[in-house]
Amino acid sequence: MTQALDTPRTDAAAPTAPDAPGGGVPLAPATPLWAGLAAVYRAQLSRTRVSRVPLLFVAVFQSVGIMILMRGVVDTGSDSAREAVVAGSSVLVVAFVALNLLAQHFGALRAANALDYYMTLPVRPAAVVLGMAAAYASFTLPGTVATAVIGALMFQLPLANLWALLLVVPLSGAALAGVGAVCGLLAPRQELATLLGQLGMSAALLLGIIPVDRMPWIIELGRDLLPSSYGVDAFIATYGTPDWTAFAANLAVCAGVGVAMLTVATWAFRRSARN
Amino acid sequence: MAMLGAAFTKGGGAAAPEPGAARGPADSCYRVAGLTKTYRTGRRTARTTVHANVDIDLDIRRGEIFGLLGPNGAGKSTLVRQLTGLLRPDAGSVDLLGYDVVRRPDVAPRLVAYLGQEAGALDELTVALAIETTARLRALSPEAARAARSAVVAELGLTDLAERPLKRLSGGQRRLACVATALVGDRPVLVLDEPTTGMDPVARRAVWAAIDRRRAEHGTTVLLVTHNVIEAETVLDRVAVLDEGRVIACDTPGGLKAAVGDEVRLELVWRGEPPLDDPAVARLARDAVRIGRRWTTRMDPATARELLAAVTSGPAFAVLDDFTLSTPSLEDAYLALGGRHEGLVKG
């Protein structure tokens, strides 16, 4: 079914609509993309006060725990091994929240018919999906930074290029939130949405923190298919002598996957809300 | 009946009419014809087809409070989900103020405020933010959204709850906050699916006062889904009675009750086993709908008085806990019209 994307857009501040009347009643204005996105983002961010803070602690503890575990396993004399563990653990926070929790959230909204709320407001599905994805990606920033700092101290890595996380988190966040949203919106049942989110996070965990040079080729292929790997590689590129070309290239992949997955998620949102 | 819709005039806008616009009579809000929706449930061998709505025709006038009354599972929610563009009908047409909702479901959110049964999307927000966000998503500017939020919070008496998350409120309070989200942004049509469920009388009065004000000032049309007969009798201008997916009657509450004729309702509640050898009790036992210890019958007033006198003066009185003799309600009308389900709520 066709839906709102082709409807005329008007200024958010307009009190009444200039649209064509139907028997004397004009249509109220549709909400512009950015206004809708901002409203959804703000509302989602406010939820941190209620339930997200404990989950962020879980995300950080999980990542720090994995780093402690890996310290006893990997060769701490190898730069690439240490970098892979810290970068993988940091991006794992993004995967936990943006992929796993967003998949669960969309699954729960669908199961409760709660998407009706958005579908009966004149807001574009893209604004809802992007607003939620952006909020979930934002939740991850403090946890990712905390993990990266703790990891750098544990594994004697430099802290100088930590600013790179300001790009790595939003872009890998967009890609992973996109995957999470698609899982949550397309899974036929809520339990499957949860399962897919968990599987995605487990994959990000296993494939993200193991150094690439130790992987069999087939596992490496799996790693290449996982969007979080490009976030990990972008972050690894900032260690030692930074390779900014690799940094930019990896982030470009994240951005591309983000655009593609969020587009699919927008389509899935419209589809799931109307059946 | 209030017919505020007469205040609307045709051709008030500048742009050309959209396809499908301005076909209906000027006083129609919703014109529904032949609406049919079928679901399939279950898996493979256990698969069954459910006729949620069958060939529904409705004409809801502008400015009226129109009710959909029926027990759970009668197809009320499925019907309003089609009227609000959430669900595509299998067949039939929905004309909303001149716009074809089946072909362009995106116009419904720009004309209708819908209050569904679920508040899941807002559960973790504070009352104030839930209302303000909804206003923003109805394209109000940030300032206008804040002003509208403050106004509706005061109007519905939500001031003390404004900073609390919805999920920490009682059922009735949460429902009141959800009604506030439906009222914000002044839509010409309100579609409210059981809006007052769980509310105390103070909150109910606040809701109906707020709706009445919008009707008086803006000619707002209200489509109310309810299974509460007392509320339906009190607030509705007209009501369509749904049973098993079909509209079995559509009239004013008074008109529907007239269908029951001049019969009265006699209710008896027993505290023990009633003596069935008593002729009056035996006659009641034959006619009554028995739910637990409560017997309900409809009959002409003279017979009712006679049977009641016999019961209250004979041996049956010893085990009689309570009795009421009342004029018919919409529930009686529903049953008299052929409604096959219990499940309407009184009070």
Side-chain angles (χ1 to χ4, degrees):
Chain A
M1 179 179 307
T2 59
Q3 216 268 329
L5 285 175
D6 60 340
T7 52
R9 300 290 146 188
T10 52
D11 178 20
T16 54
D19 281 65
V25 179
L27 292 176
T31 311
L33 181 69
W34 282 106
L37 197 159
V40 172
Y41 180 80
R42 183 179 164 220
Q44 290 296 316
L45 220 54
S46 84
R47 295 170 59 217
T48 50
R49 282 198 304 178
V50 180
S51 63
R52 294 298 138 189
V53 171
L55 285 169
L56 266 182
F57 274 112
V58 172
V60 175
F61 281 139
Q62 175 180 270
S63 287
V64 171
I66 286 162
M67 287 193 295
I68 292 170
L69 201 73
M70 292 303 283
R71 203 156 181 262
V73 177
V74 298
D75 173 13
T76 48
S78 151
D79 280 351
S80 67
R82 288 183 290 136
E83 289 165 6
V85 170
V86 176
S89 300
S90 302
V91 174
L92 178 62
V93 178
V94 183
F96 179 73
V97 178
L99 197 164
N100 183 19
L101 294 185
L102 187 59
Q104 289 186 29
H105 184 59
F106 269 124
L109 285 180
R110 261 188 73 201
N113 266 345
L115 294 181
D116 286 4
Y117 168 77
Y118 295 107
M119 295 308 293
T120 51
L121 292 168
V123 60
R124 294 187 192 205
V128 179
V129 170
L130 290 174
M132 286 204 191
Y136 272 72
S138 305
F139 293 155
T140 69
L141 188 61
T144 312
V145 171
T147 306
V149 170
I150 294 168
L153 296 175
M154 277 172 64
F155 287 87
Q156 294 91 43
L157 290 171
L159 286 164
N161 289 329
L162 214 59
W163 60 265
L165 284 177
L166 290 176
L167 290 172
V168 173
V169 170
L171 291 171
S172 60
L176 292 170
V179 175
V182 169
C183 291
L185 289 166
L186 287 183
R189 291 205 313 272
Q190 188 184 353
E191 302 78 40
L192 283 176
T194 305
L195 185 72
L196 288 174
Q198 300 276 11
L199 281 176
M201 189 193 70
S202 302
L205 163 65
L206 294 172
L207 302 177
I209 61 171
I210 299 171
V212 189
D213 46 22
R214 297 194 176 189
M215 284 181 182
W217 69 271
I218 190 139
I219 304 281
E220 206 177 323
L221 188 70
R223 187 182 189 277
D224 289 345
L225 291 174
L226 197 71
S228 66
S229 309
Y230 297 91
V232 175
D233 287 347
F235 194 31
I236 287 175
T238 67
Y239 286 125
T241 312
D243 180 352
W244 297 118
T245 313
F247 178 73
N250 279 302
L251 287 187
V253 174
C254 285
V257 173
V259 169
M261 292 317 279
L262 289 167
T263 306
V264 176
T266 301
W267 166 81
F269 180 92
R270 214 178 290 140
R271 174 185 168 275
S272 62
R274 287 219 194 281
N275 61 26
Chain B
M1 184 186 310
M3 284 300 297
L4 295 162
F8 287 96
T9 53
K10 273 194 167 187
E18 299 189 15
R23 284 183 301 134
D27 69 340
S28 257
C29 173
Y30 268 115
R31 287 197 309 147
V32 178
L35 206 66
T36 299
K37 183 75 192 172
T38 305
Y39 284 118
R40 283 197 185 163
T41 59
R43 292 183 171 197
R44 293 190 188 98
T45 51
R47 178 156 282 195
T48 51
T49 303
V50 177
H51 299 285
N53 289 150
V54 183
D55 199 19
I56 287 185
D57 297 329
L58 287 175
D59 189 354
I60 301 171
R61 298 163 198 157
R62 293 189 194 181
E64 75 176 340
I65 301 188
F66 189 94
L68 292 175
L69 179 72
N72 291 332
K76 310 185 296 288
S77 293
T78 305
L79 176 56
V80 292
R81 294 188 82 232
Q82 291 169 93
L83 299 189
T84 49
L86 279 169
L87 205 60
R88 188 183 173 85
D90 295 340
S93 64
V94 178
D95 180 290
L96 165 62
L97 297 167
Y99 299 92
D100 181 349
V101 174
V102 177
R103 218 151 56 83
R104 284 201 54 194
D106 58 292
V107 299
R110 299 169 69 181
L111 293 165
V112 177
Y114 169 66
L115 173 67
Q117 291 187 7
E118 307 293 340
L122 301 169
D123 252 1
E124 287 174 284
L125 307 188
T126 64
V127 172
L129 187 59
I131 299 169
E132 195 179 324
T133 301
T134 310
R136 291 286 286 131
L137 295 179
R138 288 208 178 100
L140 269 66
S141 69
E143 304 76 42
R146 274 194 295 277
R149 177 252 292 158
S150 301
V152 80
V153 162
E155 185 177 22
L156 293 183
L158 283 164
T159 311
D160 293 340
L161 305 176
E163 294 310 316
R164 290 174 57 187
L166 262 78
K167 71 174 186 183
R168 305 243 169 99
L169 302 180
S170 74
Q173 290 171 330
R174 192 183 315 149
R175 204 68 191 136
L176 187 61
C178 291
V179 169
T181 65
L183 294 180
V184 81
D186 288 330
R187 287 292 190 253
V189 184
L190 300 174
V191 176
L192 310 173
D193 196 341
E194 300 185 359
T196 57
T197 305
M199 282 187 196
D200 63 31
V202 178
R204 276 174 199 243
R205 271 199 296 276
V207 169
W208 289 113
I211 288 172
D212 271 345
R213 192 174 70 72
R214 277 158 183 77
R215 192 155 79 130
E217 290 176 8
H218 308 295
T220 305
T221 309
V222 182
L223 174 57
L224 176 77
V225 177
T226 184
H227 59 205
N228 184 323
V229 287
I230 302 292
E231 190 165 78
E233 285 179 28
T234 319
V235 302
L236 298 180
D237 294 321
R238 286 193 307 144
V239 56
V241 182
L242 259 76
D243 188 60
E244 298 193 345
R246 293 168 196 274
V247 174
I248 55 174
C250 182
D251 203 341
T252 61
L256 286 181
K257 285 196 282 186
V260 191
D262 58 357
E263 288 186 333
V264 293
R265 164 197 280 251
L266 176 60
E267 276 189 329
L268 303 169
V269 182
W270 304 100
R271 70 165 69 96
E273 205 54 45
L276 291 172
D277 51 349
D278 182 311
V281 174
R283 159 102 195 258
L284 284 165
R286 200 180 63 231
D287 296 344
V289 174
R290 299 193 228 173
I291 299 172
R293 293 180 298 115
R294 179 185 297 272
W295 293 11
T296 307
T297 57
R298 285 197 323 270
M299 57 189 63
D300 69 86
T303 314
R305 273 196 298 275
E306 190 184 305
L307 285 173
L308 190 58
V311 168
T312 51
S313 60
F317 191 59
V319 286
L320 186 65
D321 200 23
D322 193 13
F323 65 87
T324 51
L325 188 61
S326 52
T327 52
S329 71
L330 271 183
E331 185 181 19
D332 298 300
Y334 165 75
L335 293 170
L337 286 161
R340 278 156 288 184
H341 292 280
E342 300 292 329
L344 296 176
V345 173
K346 287 163 278 180

